[in-house]
Amino acid sequence: MGRSVPEGRRQLVADVSSATRGDLRLTRITKTYGDFTAVNDLSLTIPEGSFFALLGPSGCGKTTTLRMIAGLEEPTVGSIHLGSTDITTKRPYQRPINTVFQNYALFPHLTIFENIAFGLRRRGIKDVDADVNKVLELVELPHLAQRKPTQLSGGQQQRIALARAIVNRPALLLLDEPLGALDLKLRRQMQIELKWIQREVGLTFVHVTHDQEEAMTMADTIAVMNEGEIEQMGSPADLYDNPETAFVANFLGQSNLIKGRIEGSDGDNLVVDLFGQKIAMPKKRSHAVDNSIYAGIRPEKFRISLVGTPTRGNILTGGRIEDVSYIGVSTQYQVLMPWGQELMVFEQNDDGVAPFDKGDEVVISWEPNFTFALRGDEDADAGTEVIPEDLDEE
Ligand SMILES: Nc1ncnc2c1ncn2[C@@H]1O[C@H](COP(=O)(O)OP(=O)(O)O)[C@@H](O)[C@H]1O
Ligand SMILES: [Mg+2]
Protein backbone atom coordinates (compact mmCIF):
# COMPACT_ATOMS: atom_id res chain seq x y z
CA MET A 1 0.00 0.00 0.00
CA GLY A 2 1.20 3.46 -0.84
CA ARG A 3 4.42 2.07 -2.31
CA SER A 4 3.00 1.83 -5.82
CA VAL A 5 2.59 5.58 -6.22
CA PRO A 6 2.39 6.73 -9.86
CA GLU A 7 5.58 8.39 -11.14
CA GLY A 8 4.23 11.93 -11.17
CA ARG A 9 3.14 11.75 -7.59
CA ARG A 10 6.12 9.95 -6.16
CA GLN A 11 7.97 13.23 -5.95
CA LEU A 12 5.36 14.52 -3.56
CA VAL A 13 6.55 12.26 -0.82
CA ALA A 14 10.19 11.83 -1.77
CA ASP A 15 11.34 15.11 -0.32
CA VAL A 16 11.13 14.56 3.41
CA SER A 17 14.51 13.57 4.82
CA SER A 18 14.77 10.02 6.06
CA ALA A 19 15.70 11.17 9.56
CA THR A 20 12.22 12.56 10.09
CA ARG A 21 10.25 9.78 8.43
CA GLY A 22 9.20 6.44 9.78
CA ASP A 23 6.67 5.20 12.28
CA LEU A 24 5.14 7.65 14.74
CA ARG A 25 5.57 6.45 18.31
CA LEU A 26 3.78 7.89 21.32
CA THR A 27 5.28 6.55 24.52
CA ARG A 28 3.42 6.81 27.82
CA ILE A 29 1.92 10.20 27.03
CA THR A 30 -0.03 11.95 29.74
CA LYS A 31 -1.54 15.42 29.45
CA THR A 32 -3.05 17.13 32.46
CA TYR A 33 -4.76 20.51 32.78
CA GLY A 34 -4.62 21.39 36.48
CA ASP A 35 -5.96 18.28 38.19
CA PHE A 36 -7.85 17.12 35.09
CA THR A 37 -6.26 14.33 33.04
CA ALA A 38 -7.16 14.71 29.36
CA VAL A 39 -4.84 11.96 28.09
CA ASN A 40 -3.70 9.19 30.41
CA ASP A 41 -0.54 7.12 29.91
CA LEU A 42 -1.20 6.59 26.23
CA SER A 43 1.19 4.54 24.11
CA LEU A 44 0.77 3.73 20.45
CA THR A 45 2.68 3.18 17.25
CA ILE A 46 1.35 4.41 13.93
CA PRO A 47 3.09 2.63 11.05
CA GLU A 48 4.51 4.80 8.28
CA GLY A 49 2.19 4.99 5.31
CA SER A 50 -0.90 3.82 7.17
CA PHE A 51 -4.32 5.37 7.51
CA PHE A 52 -4.83 5.50 11.25
CA ALA A 53 -8.05 6.59 12.97
CA LEU A 54 -8.40 7.81 16.52
CA LEU A 55 -12.05 7.14 17.34
CA GLY A 56 -13.95 8.11 20.45
CA PRO A 57 -16.78 10.21 21.87
CA SER A 58 -16.55 13.95 22.25
CA GLY A 59 -14.22 14.96 25.09
CA CYS A 60 -12.21 11.70 25.23
CA GLY A 61 -8.91 13.42 24.38
CA LYS A 62 -8.58 13.00 20.61
CA THR A 63 -7.82 16.62 19.74
CA THR A 64 -5.44 16.92 22.69
CA THR A 65 -3.53 13.89 21.39
CA LEU A 66 -3.40 15.35 17.89
CA ARG A 67 -2.22 18.74 19.19
CA MET A 68 0.65 17.04 21.03
CA ILE A 69 1.66 15.24 17.83
CA ALA A 70 1.52 18.56 15.95
CA GLY A 71 3.52 20.36 18.64
CA LEU A 72 0.71 22.72 19.64
CA GLU A 73 0.72 21.23 23.16
CA GLU A 74 3.54 19.65 25.10
CA PRO A 75 2.88 16.37 26.91
CA THR A 76 3.01 16.60 30.71
CA VAL A 77 4.74 13.20 30.69
CA GLY A 78 5.98 10.96 27.87
CA SER A 79 7.71 11.20 24.52
CA ILE A 80 6.88 11.34 20.83
CA HIS A 81 9.17 9.92 18.15
CA LEU A 82 8.96 10.12 14.38
CA GLY A 83 11.21 7.37 13.11
CA SER A 84 14.34 7.65 15.24
CA THR A 85 13.89 11.38 15.92
CA ASP A 86 12.56 12.56 19.29
CA ILE A 87 10.13 15.38 18.40
CA THR A 88 8.53 15.74 21.84
CA THR A 89 9.68 19.32 22.38
CA LYS A 90 10.22 20.44 18.79
CA ARG A 91 8.29 23.54 17.68
CA PRO A 92 5.35 22.86 15.31
CA TYR A 93 7.20 24.29 12.29
CA GLN A 94 10.20 22.05 13.02
CA ARG A 95 8.05 18.96 12.52
CA PRO A 96 7.28 17.53 9.08
CA ILE A 97 3.63 17.49 10.07
CA ASN A 98 0.55 19.25 8.66
CA THR A 99 -2.96 19.44 10.07
CA VAL A 100 -6.32 19.70 8.32
CA PHE A 101 -9.12 21.02 10.51
CA GLN A 102 -12.89 20.84 10.25
CA ASN A 103 -13.21 24.54 9.41
CA TYR A 104 -10.75 24.44 6.46
CA ALA A 105 -9.07 27.73 7.50
CA LEU A 106 -8.41 28.81 3.91
CA PHE A 107 -7.25 32.41 3.38
CA PRO A 108 -10.33 34.23 2.02
CA HIS A 109 -8.42 36.94 0.14
CA LEU A 110 -6.15 34.52 -1.74
CA THR A 111 -7.04 32.46 -4.81
CA ILE A 112 -7.21 28.70 -4.51
CA PHE A 113 -3.86 28.49 -6.29
CA GLU A 114 -2.23 30.91 -3.86
CA ASN A 115 -3.82 29.19 -0.87
CA ILE A 116 -2.11 25.98 -1.91
CA ALA A 117 1.14 27.72 -2.83
CA PHE A 118 1.31 29.55 0.49
CA GLY A 119 3.37 27.03 2.44
CA LEU A 120 5.82 26.51 -0.44
CA ARG A 121 6.35 30.25 -0.92
CA ARG A 122 6.89 30.74 2.79
CA ARG A 123 9.68 28.18 2.61
CA GLY A 124 11.28 30.28 -0.10
CA ILE A 125 10.39 27.99 -2.99
CA LYS A 126 10.00 30.13 -6.13
CA ASP A 127 8.82 27.71 -8.77
CA VAL A 128 5.60 26.39 -7.25
CA ASP A 129 3.51 25.82 -10.39
CA ALA A 130 4.29 22.16 -10.95
CA ASP A 131 3.66 21.16 -7.33
CA VAL A 132 0.47 23.18 -6.96
CA ASN A 133 -0.97 21.88 -10.22
CA LYS A 134 -0.12 18.34 -9.26
CA VAL A 135 -2.10 18.46 -6.01
CA LEU A 136 -4.94 20.35 -7.70
CA GLU A 137 -5.19 17.40 -10.06
CA LEU A 138 -4.98 14.98 -7.19
CA VAL A 139 -8.12 16.51 -5.63
CA GLU A 140 -9.65 16.89 -9.11
CA LEU A 141 -10.16 20.64 -8.95
CA PRO A 142 -7.62 22.15 -11.39
CA HIS A 143 -10.38 24.23 -13.02
CA LEU A 144 -10.96 26.17 -9.78
CA ALA A 145 -7.38 27.44 -9.37
CA GLN A 146 -8.25 31.10 -9.89
CA ARG A 147 -11.36 31.22 -7.72
CA LYS A 148 -11.58 32.53 -4.17
CA PRO A 149 -12.53 30.17 -1.32
CA THR A 150 -16.04 31.67 -0.91
CA GLN A 151 -16.81 30.66 -4.51
CA LEU A 152 -16.36 27.00 -3.61
CA SER A 153 -18.74 24.55 -1.95
CA GLY A 154 -17.92 23.12 1.47
CA GLY A 155 -16.75 19.85 -0.03
CA GLN A 156 -14.51 21.64 -2.53
CA GLN A 157 -13.03 23.84 0.19
CA GLN A 158 -12.25 20.76 2.24
CA ARG A 159 -10.44 19.20 -0.73
CA ILE A 160 -8.42 22.38 -1.18
CA ALA A 161 -7.51 22.33 2.52
CA LEU A 162 -6.27 18.80 1.95
CA ALA A 163 -4.32 19.79 -1.17
CA ARG A 164 -2.74 22.67 0.74
CA ALA A 165 -1.49 20.24 3.39
CA ILE A 166 -0.31 17.55 0.97
CA VAL A 167 1.70 19.98 -1.18
CA ASN A 168 4.08 20.48 1.77
CA ARG A 169 4.97 16.77 1.61
CA PRO A 170 4.58 16.22 5.33
CA ALA A 171 5.72 12.92 6.80
CA LEU A 172 2.48 12.95 8.70
CA LEU A 173 -0.90 14.44 7.92
CA LEU A 174 -3.23 15.03 10.87
CA LEU A 175 -6.94 15.37 10.21
CA ASP A 176 -9.18 16.58 13.04
CA GLU A 177 -12.81 15.76 12.20
CA PRO A 178 -12.14 17.14 8.71
CA LEU A 179 -15.53 16.11 7.33
CA GLY A 180 -17.59 17.23 10.32
CA ALA A 181 -19.04 20.28 8.56
CA LEU A 182 -20.26 18.38 5.51
CA ASP A 183 -23.69 16.84 5.09
CA LEU A 184 -24.02 13.08 5.35
CA LYS A 185 -24.01 12.21 1.65
CA LEU A 186 -21.03 14.40 0.81
CA ARG A 187 -19.24 13.10 3.88
CA ARG A 188 -19.59 9.50 2.71
CA GLN A 189 -18.28 10.48 -0.72
CA MET A 190 -15.31 12.36 0.76
CA GLN A 191 -14.47 9.39 2.98
CA ILE A 192 -13.92 7.22 -0.06
CA GLU A 193 -11.99 9.99 -1.79
CA LEU A 194 -9.74 10.67 1.21
CA LYS A 195 -8.89 7.00 1.43
CA TRP A 196 -8.03 6.97 -2.26
CA ILE A 197 -5.83 10.06 -1.95
CA GLN A 198 -4.03 8.58 1.04
CA ARG A 199 -3.20 5.45 -0.96
CA GLU A 200 -2.06 7.54 -3.93
CA VAL A 201 0.37 9.74 -2.02
CA GLY A 202 1.41 7.10 0.53
CA LEU A 203 1.54 9.59 3.41
CA THR A 204 0.73 8.59 6.97
CA PHE A 205 -2.74 9.91 7.84
CA VAL A 206 -3.89 10.25 11.44
CA HIS A 207 -7.60 10.89 11.31
CA VAL A 208 -9.61 11.92 14.37
CA THR A 209 -13.34 11.26 14.40
CA HIS A 210 -16.25 10.43 16.70
CA ASP A 211 -18.05 8.74 13.79
CA GLN A 212 -17.49 4.99 13.90
CA GLU A 213 -18.72 4.43 10.37
CA GLU A 214 -16.25 7.01 9.11
CA ALA A 215 -13.37 5.35 10.95
CA MET A 216 -14.36 1.93 9.66
CA THR A 217 -14.70 3.11 6.06
CA MET A 218 -11.26 4.65 5.88
CA ALA A 219 -8.78 3.35 8.42
CA ASP A 220 -6.33 0.46 8.23
CA THR A 221 -6.09 0.64 12.00
CA ILE A 222 -8.47 2.17 14.53
CA ALA A 223 -7.61 3.08 18.11
CA VAL A 224 -10.78 3.40 20.18
CA MET A 225 -10.31 6.08 22.81
CA ASN A 226 -12.32 6.53 25.99
CA GLU A 227 -11.65 8.99 28.80
CA GLY A 228 -8.08 9.71 27.78
CA GLU A 229 -7.09 6.09 27.27
CA ILE A 230 -6.99 3.63 24.39
CA GLU A 231 -9.48 0.86 24.96
CA GLN A 232 -8.51 -1.26 21.98
CA MET A 233 -6.61 -1.00 18.74
CA GLY A 234 -6.92 -3.08 15.61
CA SER A 235 -8.29 -3.35 12.10
CA PRO A 236 -11.95 -2.39 11.67
CA ALA A 237 -12.89 -6.07 11.29
CA ASP A 238 -10.92 -7.09 14.40
CA LEU A 239 -12.60 -4.47 16.52
CA TYR A 240 -16.04 -5.28 15.21
CA ASP A 241 -15.76 -9.07 15.42
CA ASN A 242 -13.75 -9.33 18.59
CA PRO A 243 -14.28 -6.38 20.91
CA GLU A 244 -12.48 -6.69 24.23
CA THR A 245 -14.56 -4.28 26.28
CA ALA A 246 -18.21 -3.29 26.56
CA PHE A 247 -17.28 0.23 25.50
CA VAL A 248 -15.82 -0.99 22.21
CA ALA A 249 -18.65 -3.50 21.69
CA ASN A 250 -21.23 -0.72 22.05
CA PHE A 251 -19.44 2.26 20.54
CA LEU A 252 -18.40 0.45 17.37
CA GLY A 253 -21.73 -0.76 16.04
CA GLN A 254 -24.29 -2.28 18.40
CA SER A 255 -24.10 -5.37 20.57
CA ASN A 256 -26.37 -7.61 22.57
CA LEU A 257 -24.62 -8.34 25.87
CA ILE A 258 -26.20 -11.17 27.85
CA LYS A 259 -25.14 -11.97 31.40
CA GLY A 260 -23.89 -15.54 31.77
CA ARG A 261 -21.56 -18.06 33.38
CA ILE A 262 -18.91 -20.32 31.91
CA GLU A 263 -19.93 -23.85 32.91
CA GLY A 264 -17.33 -25.92 31.14
CA SER A 265 -15.32 -26.60 28.06
CA ASP A 266 -15.83 -28.65 24.90
CA GLY A 267 -12.78 -28.78 22.61
CA ASP A 268 -12.16 -25.26 21.29
CA ASN A 269 -15.43 -24.04 22.73
CA LEU A 270 -16.64 -22.85 26.08
CA VAL A 271 -20.01 -24.02 27.33
CA VAL A 272 -21.88 -21.04 28.70
CA ASP A 273 -25.11 -20.80 30.69
CA LEU A 274 -27.35 -17.86 29.78
CA PHE A 275 -30.26 -17.71 32.21
CA GLY A 276 -30.63 -21.51 32.24
CA GLN A 277 -30.04 -22.09 28.51
CA LYS A 278 -26.71 -23.54 27.29
CA ILE A 279 -24.76 -22.10 24.39
CA ALA A 280 -21.29 -22.64 22.91
CA MET A 281 -18.68 -20.04 22.00
CA PRO A 282 -15.04 -20.08 20.86
CA LYS A 283 -12.47 -19.95 23.66
CA LYS A 284 -10.28 -17.60 21.65
CA ARG A 285 -12.93 -14.89 21.61
CA SER A 286 -13.34 -14.75 25.37
CA HIS A 287 -11.91 -11.77 27.22
CA ALA A 288 -13.32 -12.90 30.54
CA VAL A 289 -11.07 -13.25 33.59
CA ASP A 290 -13.22 -15.72 35.51
CA ASN A 291 -16.48 -17.63 35.00
CA SER A 292 -18.67 -14.56 35.14
CA ILE A 293 -19.16 -13.11 31.64
CA TYR A 294 -21.23 -11.12 29.25
CA ALA A 295 -21.85 -13.09 26.07
CA GLY A 296 -21.84 -10.69 23.13
CA ILE A 297 -23.65 -11.17 19.83
CA ARG A 298 -24.06 -8.55 17.09
CA PRO A 299 -27.72 -7.92 16.09
CA GLU A 300 -27.22 -9.00 12.46
CA LYS A 301 -25.77 -12.36 13.57
CA PHE A 302 -29.05 -13.43 15.21
CA ARG A 303 -31.70 -15.30 13.26
CA ILE A 304 -35.34 -15.35 14.26
CA SER A 305 -37.66 -18.30 13.74
CA LEU A 306 -41.15 -19.10 14.88
CA VAL A 307 -41.48 -21.68 17.64
CA GLY A 308 -41.54 -25.16 16.07
CA THR A 309 -39.46 -24.39 12.96
CA PRO A 310 -36.03 -26.07 12.76
CA THR A 311 -32.99 -24.03 13.81
CA ARG A 312 -29.27 -24.67 14.15
CA GLY A 313 -26.31 -23.44 16.17
CA ASN A 314 -26.91 -21.71 19.48
CA ILE A 315 -30.56 -21.42 20.43
CA LEU A 316 -32.39 -19.25 22.92
CA THR A 317 -36.08 -20.01 23.39
CA GLY A 318 -38.92 -18.07 24.96
CA GLY A 319 -38.66 -14.85 22.97
CA ARG A 320 -41.55 -12.60 22.06
CA ILE A 321 -41.38 -9.86 19.45
CA GLU A 322 -42.03 -6.51 21.07
CA ASP A 323 -41.25 -4.16 18.24
CA VAL A 324 -40.71 -4.30 14.48
CA SER A 325 -39.05 -1.51 12.47
CA TYR A 326 -38.90 -1.89 8.72
CA ILE A 327 -35.81 0.03 7.46
CA GLY A 328 -35.83 -1.04 3.80
CA VAL A 329 -32.60 -3.03 3.55
CA SER A 330 -33.28 -4.64 6.90
CA THR A 331 -35.93 -5.14 9.51
CA GLN A 332 -35.01 -4.48 13.14
CA TYR A 333 -36.72 -6.44 15.86
CA GLN A 334 -36.80 -6.01 19.62
CA VAL A 335 -37.27 -9.44 21.15
CA LEU A 336 -38.20 -9.74 24.82
CA MET A 337 -36.53 -12.71 26.48
CA PRO A 338 -37.82 -14.63 29.53
CA TRP A 339 -35.26 -12.95 31.79
CA GLY A 340 -36.63 -9.52 30.93
CA GLN A 341 -33.94 -8.35 28.49
CA GLU A 342 -34.80 -7.02 25.05
CA LEU A 343 -32.47 -8.30 22.35
CA MET A 344 -31.90 -6.47 19.07
CA VAL A 345 -32.10 -8.51 15.89
CA PHE A 346 -31.39 -7.15 12.39
CA GLU A 347 -32.66 -9.30 9.54
CA GLN A 348 -31.84 -8.50 5.95
CA ASN A 349 -34.89 -8.26 3.71
CA ASP A 350 -33.43 -10.65 1.15
CA ASP A 351 -35.56 -13.76 1.21
CA GLY A 352 -39.02 -12.40 0.56
CA VAL A 353 -40.32 -14.13 3.67
CA ALA A 354 -42.93 -12.06 5.43
CA PRO A 355 -41.44 -10.32 8.46
CA PHE A 356 -42.48 -11.44 11.89
CA ASP A 357 -45.15 -9.54 13.74
CA LYS A 358 -45.34 -7.93 17.09
CA GLY A 359 -46.43 -10.53 19.65
CA ASP A 360 -45.00 -13.54 17.74
CA GLU A 361 -43.45 -16.22 19.96
CA VAL A 362 -39.97 -16.81 18.55
CA VAL A 363 -36.69 -18.63 18.94
CA ILE A 364 -33.39 -16.85 18.44
CA SER A 365 -30.42 -18.73 17.00
CA TRP A 366 -26.92 -17.98 15.75
CA GLU A 367 -23.59 -19.55 14.84
CA PRO A 368 -21.48 -20.19 17.98
CA ASN A 369 -18.43 -18.65 16.22
CA PHE A 370 -20.10 -15.24 16.20
CA THR A 371 -20.12 -15.06 20.00
CA PHE A 372 -17.59 -13.05 21.98
CA ALA A 373 -17.30 -12.81 25.76
CA LEU A 374 -16.50 -9.86 27.98
CA ARG A 375 -15.72 -9.70 31.69
CA GLY A 376 -18.82 -10.15 33.83
CA ASP A 377 -18.01 -7.09 35.93
CA GLU A 378 -18.22 -4.73 32.96
CA ASP A 379 -20.80 -1.96 32.67
CA ALA A 380 -22.93 -3.42 29.88
CA ASP A 381 -24.13 0.08 28.91
CA ALA A 382 -20.66 1.58 28.49
CA GLY A 383 -20.38 3.37 25.18
CA THR A 384 -24.13 3.48 24.60
CA GLU A 385 -24.84 6.76 26.41
CA VAL A 386 -23.06 8.52 23.58
CA ILE A 387 -24.85 7.99 20.30
CA PRO A 388 -22.22 8.96 17.74
CA GLU A 389 -24.69 10.29 15.17
CA ASP A 390 -26.15 12.74 17.69
CA LEU A 391 -22.81 14.46 17.98
CA ASP A 392 -22.84 15.36 14.29
CA GLU A 393 -24.78 18.47 15.17
CA GLU A 394 -22.21 19.76 17.66
N1 LIG B 1 -6.64 23.87 27.30
C1 LIG B 1 -7.43 23.08 28.05
N2 LIG B 1 -7.66 23.37 29.35
C2 LIG B 1 -8.44 22.59 30.11
N3 LIG B 1 -9.07 21.47 29.66
C3 LIG B 1 -8.91 21.14 28.39
C4 LIG B 1 -8.08 21.92 27.51
N4 LIG B 1 -8.10 21.33 26.28
C5 LIG B 1 -8.90 20.25 26.40
N5 LIG B 1 -9.38 20.14 27.65
C6 LIG B 1 -10.27 19.07 28.16
O1 LIG B 1 -9.70 17.82 27.85
C7 LIG B 1 -10.70 16.88 27.46
C8 LIG B 1 -10.37 16.32 26.11
O2 LIG B 1 -10.56 17.32 25.13
P1 LIG B 1 -10.33 17.06 23.58
O3 LIG B 1 -8.98 16.47 23.41
O4 LIG B 1 -10.61 18.32 22.87
O5 LIG B 1 -11.46 15.99 23.27
P2 LIG B 1 -12.01 15.43 21.88
O6 LIG B 1 -11.21 16.02 20.78
O7 LIG B 1 -11.90 13.95 21.99
O8 LIG B 1 -13.45 15.85 21.83
C9 LIG B 1 -12.02 17.63 27.49
O9 LIG B 1 -12.68 17.34 28.72
C10 LIG B 1 -11.61 19.08 27.42
O10 LIG B 1 -12.54 19.90 28.09
MG1 LIG C 1 -11.84 17.23 19.17
Side-chain angles (χ1 to χ4, degrees), residues 24 36 38 41 52-53 66 80 84 114 118 121 157 219 225 232 337 384:
L24 176 75
F36 178 76
D41 196 17
F52 190 94
L66 219 58
I80 303 174
S84 55
E114 286 304 325
F118 186 83
R121 292 205 198 282
Q157 288 186 48
M225 234 182 136
Q232 192 177 344
M337 300 309 287
T384 58

Side-chain angles (χ1 to χ4, degrees), residues 248-263:
V248 175
N250 293 321
F251 192 73
L252 210 79
Q254 288 173 278
S255 294
N256 293 288
L257 300 179
I258 307 171
K259 197 98 184 84
R261 278 197 80 72
I262 297 173
E263 301 269 282

Side-chain angles (χ1 to χ4, degrees), residues 33 36 38 57-65 73:
Y33 297 107
F36 178 76
S58 187
C60 74
K62 303 181 298 295
T63 294
T64 305
T65 304
E73 301 271 0

Side-chain angles (χ1 to χ4, degrees), residues 135-148:
V135 292
L136 269 169
E137 257 164 56
L138 187 68
V139 299
E140 296 181 310
L141 296 175
H143 54 293
L144 301 182
Q146 294 315 317
R147 296 226 192 138
K148 295 281 177 63

